[in-house]
Amino acid sequence: MNRSILYVLAFLSLSVVCAPVHGATPRNPYLGRWALTIPGGGAGWLSVAEENGHLSAHILWGGGSVIRMASACMDADTLVVTRLHTVDRKDKEGKVLYKDTFTETIVAKVSGDTMHLTQIRPRFDGKGVNRNEFTGKRIPPLPPKPDLSNTRYGKPITLFDGSNLNGWKLTNPRQKNGWSAEDGVLVNRPTQQEGKRHVSYGNLRTEAEFEDFNLKLEVKVPKKGNSGVYLRGIYEVQIANTRDRGLDSHNMGGIYSRIAPTASAEKPAGQWQTMNITLLDRHVTVELNDRVIIDNQPLLGCTGGALWSDEFKPGPIYLQGDHSAISYRNIVLTPILRREETVIFEDRFENRLADGWTWIRENPQTQRIRRGALEIRVEPGVAHTVRNALVRKVPFYRSRGKYAIDVTVTNTTKPTQQYEQAGITWYHAGKPVFKLVKELVDGELMIIPGRKPMSSETVQLRLVVDGNDFIAQFRPNAEGKFQTAATGKLPVPANDHVSIQCYNGPVEAEHWIRFDDFRVSQLSE
């Protein structure tokens, strides 16, 4: 007996044996929402619930919308769900003679928070079945609705400067790029030539990835236009010409197939429209043309076209470009600061220094505040002779918790001098005893301590202090998760100060460092 026949028999057996379960209890390990990685690596989603003593299931399979499955039931400790596919059977002239209905079966087993699934799908030509295995992860319960009035924001980031596509790339480099910068506008023109083979155009995403944020932009949708703004690459805010079509999750401003707008605020096609979107704790708020149309609503899972199904992974902003022409401008993202951090002190270096700083060996000619950052020239010298070291008393008692000191460091010129460096220095009893810096060592830029390679111009440095223990961390381009460079011990407290500084610069050239977003926070345990 060949394998195809075995698969068909297994499929038929499941269809016959399985029966709905009555009285399922909350302890049923299948109940809940699952983030799927479907065959081929795409994003999917499965929800299993109990309704009137019976199981029900909804699924998202790659693209499109969430759909209800035809059936869901238990076969002993195995979950079995089905969905139906209707196929037109036509004659040689293309006339539909009749319809065939095929039943696709998905069989699932749970182990803790992991689901192992098998898809058994008949081939529509009636010659065998396809069998695919894939996995899912349980999605944790949604947190309470966040208090947006107490949200703290970082510094706004201009994602598109109007002149070029720097910082953007296609989600799939094999597709054709229809995007360009024209007169301050990000334009997509996915043109097709009549009589020619259809050209597949690409979606455009930021190279940077983000966690929670506020996103503001303007968009102009032509007649019959269709695009989308994906938040962290997983939740699509629908962009489409749907004026006067009613309130639907597939219309302008809705979370595609998930959340319908509560009000109509769309302008006619061809007019610029404003969007103000806040994503926080898996809740979303959407303002369209200064009117709230989705108010802090929970997101149950990814939407069709998501890059992945993991809702806790940092991700890009991506703009759908495979449907129609579209125009965007004034795209600005403002990160939301993590709530597990209580900011004790911060200085964004806007116009002047915050109170409490002092200079060591100040040279006013080689330091300045410009464009929202502190710029210091990297002068010759070593730790004990450094010039323009900016110092302040550590604003916490080490015994009272866990703290983080952050600063973003950018080289405006490529370092050339051996041991040329910039970053954070810890002072103990008036002397420098520890540094977390980006440093040129033997021709290679690296994070010290730890000697971690670091080639990007910008890096966010984080010194975590927990009692006398430290963790030296960094994030290239101030994006994604922090990486640990080294751990160790600090001296016992004695007039602790922290400094941002740079030194070992060349004599014959001007090298400058930009220090940005200095912050001291208390971390939750």
Side-chain angles (χ1 to χ4, degrees):
M1 185 180 293
N2 65 36
R3 293 181 66 189
S4 294
I5 295 174
L6 284 171
Y7 291 160
V8 171
L9 290 177
F11 163 71
L12 292 173
S13 173
L14 287 168
S15 300
V16 172
V17 172
C18 186
V21 170
H22 295 270
T25 71
R27 289 188 294 273
N28 183 331
Y30 293 92
L31 296 180
R33 294 170 293 112
W34 299 84
L36 305 179
T37 301
I38 63 176
W45 178 87
L46 175 68
S47 171
V48 182
E50 183 185 10
E51 296 179 358
N52 301 317
H54 291 74
L55 291 182
S56 66
H58 291 77
I59 200 166
L60 174 72
W61 194 265
S65 299
V66 175
I67 62 170
R68 185 183 181 95
M69 299 297 278
S71 68
C73 59
M74 299 299 300
D75 180 14
D77 62 349
T78 300
L79 174 70
V80 181
V81 296
T82 65
R83 61 174 174 170
L84 304 180
H85 300 273
T86 300
V87 179
D88 291 337
R89 298 304 191 193
K90 303 177 182 179
D91 61 18
K92 294 181 180 180
E93 285 71 38
K95 180 182 178 181
V96 177
L97 301 176
Y98 59 91
K99 297 178 183 292
D100 275 343
T101 300
F102 290 87
T103 302
E104 173 189 348
T105 302
I106 296 176
V107 182
K109 297 277 286 187
V110 162
S111 176
D113 289 334
T114 300
M115 181 179 280
H116 299 276
L117 306 98
T118 301
Q119 176 198 42
I120 305 168
R121 179 168 177 164
R123 296 172 188 161
F124 293 163
D125 61 5
K127 299 177 181 179
V129 297
N130 292 325
R131 183 185 183 97
N132 297 295
E133 295 184 353
F134 58 106
T135 60
K137 291 289 185 181
R138 189 187 304 276
I139 300 174
L142 282 157
K145 184 177 294 189
D147 181 359
L148 297 181
S149 65
N150 288 327
T151 300
R152 291 183 59 84
Y153 293 91
K155 182 171 290 188
I157 303 168
T158 299
L159 299 182
F160 172 64
D161 69 2
S163 64
N164 55 56
L165 299 186
N166 290 349
W168 295 82
K169 63 182 180 181
L170 294 183
T171 58
N172 181 354
R174 294 186 297 274
Q175 292 180 302
K176 185 175 178 61
N177 190 352
W179 298 90
S180 61
E182 300 177 11
D183 299 323
V185 177
L186 181 58
V187 178
N188 182 50
R189 290 193 178 91
T191 56
Q192 303 289 342
Q193 294 185 9
E194 188 174 352
K196 297 291 184 67
R197 184 176 180 179
H198 181 83
V199 177
S200 176
Y201 283 87
N203 304 316
L204 193 68
R205 58 156 286 178
T206 58
E207 294 176 351
E209 296 186 345
F210 309 98
E211 295 180 341
D212 289 341
F213 53 79
N214 171 264
L215 177 68
K216 294 182 175 69
L217 58 83
E218 295 178 58
V219 60
K220 183 163 63 174
V221 188
K223 288 184 178 180
K224 299 182 180 180
N226 189 333
S227 181
V229 177
Y230 280 77
L231 313 178
R232 283 218 312 267
I234 50 178
Y235 308 118
E236 181 188 4
V237 181
Q238 172 72 324
I239 304 293
N241 175 217
T242 57
R243 183 176 167 87
D244 300 326
R245 292 188 189 176
L247 303 178
D248 188 277
S249 64
H250 300 85
N251 291 346
M252 181 70 170
I255 305 301
Y256 195 84
S257 185
R258 292 284 188 190
I259 307 173
T262 58
S264 295
E266 183 180 351
K267 292 182 179 180
Q271 295 187 20
W272 283 107
Q273 307 189 60
T274 62
M275 302 198 82
N276 184 347
I277 305 163
T278 301
L279 175 65
L280 176 59
D281 278 351
R282 289 185 284 159
H283 286 72
V284 65
T285 297
V286 178
E287 292 183 23
L288 177 61
N289 299 318
D290 300 320
R291 186 172 182 182
V292 176
I293 61 171
I294 295 176
D295 189 4
N296 210 2
Q297 293 300 300
L299 291 158
L300 299 182
C302 64
T303 62
L307 298 180
W308 45 72
S309 59
D310 184 352
E311 296 180 76
F312 300 90
K313 179 179 179 179
I317 300 300
Y318 103 62
L319 308 176
Q320 201 170 45
D322 58 348
H323 289 347
S324 76
I326 198 75
S327 299
Y328 293 95
R329 69 183 183 188
N330 297 330
I331 309 172
V332 178
L333 182 145
T334 305
I336 293 176
L337 302 181
R338 300 176 183 177
R339 278 162 308 291
E340 62 264 26
E341 303 175 8
T342 301
V343 176
I344 300 172
F345 170 82
E346 68 179 336
D347 194 345
R348 298 184 181 179
F349 305 115
E350 295 174 343
N351 301 320
R352 67 178 187 87
L353 293 177
D355 295 336
W357 290 108
T358 58
W359 289 101
I360 297 177
R361 289 178 283 276
E362 180 182 10
N363 180 0
Q365 303 303 313
T366 55
Q367 45 97 345
R368 63 203 179 200
I369 290 179
R370 189 171 68 167
R371 300 196 307 271
L374 171 65
E375 297 183 345
I376 302 177
R377 180 179 171 181
V378 191
E379 298 193 71
V382 294
H384 294 282
T385 62
V386 59
R387 305 187 71 179
N388 280 332
L390 192 61
V391 182
R392 68 180 303 110
K393 186 173 178 61
V394 172
F396 55 79
Y397 293 97
R398 286 197 246 164
S399 61
R400 295 183 180 177
K402 186 176 182 180
Y403 301 88
I405 300 169
D406 292 87
V407 71
T408 301
V409 177
T410 301
N411 294 91
T412 63
T413 46
K414 185 177 180 180
T416 57
Q417 181 88 359
Q418 174 78 328
Y419 305 131
E420 187 174 341
Q421 59 190 272
I424 299 171
T425 297
W426 186 272
Y427 279 76
H428 174 263
K431 296 180 180 180
V433 295
F434 171 81
K435 66 181 182 181
L436 170 56
V437 297
K438 179 182 178 184
E439 183 172 352
L440 183 67
V441 180
D442 297 331
E444 183 179 3
L445 282 169
M446 54 183 62
I447 299 298
I448 302 293
R451 298 179 69 91
K452 301 293 185 181
M454 172 49 54
S455 59
S456 64
E457 292 180 356
T458 298
V459 62
Q460 183 179 357
L461 302 175
R462 164 169 281 198
L463 177 62
V464 178
V465 179
D466 188 2
N468 294 334
D469 297 319
F470 75 79
I471 306 173
Q473 298 182 316
F474 65 99
R475 293 198 303 171
N477 296 313
E479 300 165 5
K481 295 183 178 180
F482 280 100
Q483 304 173 43
T484 296
T487 60
K489 295 283 187 181
L490 293 171
V492 295
N495 193 25
D496 294 336
H497 281 66
V498 64
S499 171
I500 51 177
Q501 55 185 253
C502 52
Y503 54 87
N504 260 326
V507 175
E508 71 285 353
E510 284 198 17
H511 289 184
W512 290 78
I513 295 291
R514 284 176 59 86
F515 292 98
D516 201 356
D517 289 338
F518 180 88
R519 184 165 55 251
V520 181
S521 308
Q522 183 169 11
L523 306 179
S524 60
E525 295 298 330

